[in-house]
Amino acid sequence: MNFCEKIYFYFNKEELISAIERTIKFLEHSEESIWSNLTVAETIEILESELSKIKNGEEFNEIELAVLFTVASNIQEISMYNGWSKQYIEIAEVIDRFTQSAVDDL
């Protein structure tokens, strides 16, 4: 993250935390999707790990989050299978704001 992105993150990290927590709640009530290469439990485990880092002010894996929330990703597939795809799109937009620069740097 560059300096401006760090400032944005500092003042808006609660939005990212909320988006991840909301995703975890949806996942906790979701069934496995045959189109996802990760189980619901594995997806939750990754999200909880990244969430813990964010809450503790540690460096988190922006690429990991970006990949989980990208189009045709594990979370999108699970959301579609379980009827919360509209909410997924809203959440993914938030995640994108916090991970886009890492993806652009690839």
Side-chain angles (χ1 to χ4, degrees):
M1 273 190 235
N2 66 37
F3 180 74
C4 291
E5 291 164 340
K6 287 180 182 180
I7 297 294
Y8 179 83
F9 176 78
Y10 178 80
F11 286 106
N12 296 285
K13 80 175 187 177
E14 290 303 319
E15 183 182 19
L16 177 60
I17 289 169
S18 176
I20 296 171
E21 289 175 338
R22 190 171 171 211
T23 304
I24 291 169
K25 285 185 187 235
F26 278 117
L27 288 167
E28 289 173 339
H29 302 299
S30 294
E31 296 179 18
E32 304 294 338
S33 168
I34 61 171
W35 299 288
S36 175
N37 66 341
L38 294 175
T39 66
V40 169
E42 290 169 328
T43 306
I44 290 172
E45 183 179 329
I46 294 167
L47 289 174
E48 286 177 339
S49 174
E50 296 307 316
L51 181 61
S52 176
K53 292 174 192 173
I54 294 164
K55 286 182 173 181
N56 292 321
E58 300 170 14
E59 189 173 326
F60 67 100
N61 190 334
E62 296 172 69
I63 299 298
E64 181 85 65
L65 285 180
V67 168
L68 282 174
F69 283 92
T70 195
V71 175
S73 67
N74 294 301
I75 295 175
Q76 183 183 30
E77 297 297 345
I78 294 168
S79 74
M80 289 170 49
Y81 189 77
N82 287 278
W84 51 277
S85 57
K86 288 183 183 179
Q87 293 87 346
Y88 157 80
I89 292 169
E90 295 169 5
I91 294 167
E93 288 174 354
V94 172
I95 301 297
D96 285 350
R97 285 197 295 274
F98 288 90
T99 61
Q100 189 60 49
S101 67
V103 172
D104 291 344
D105 291 343
L106 290 179

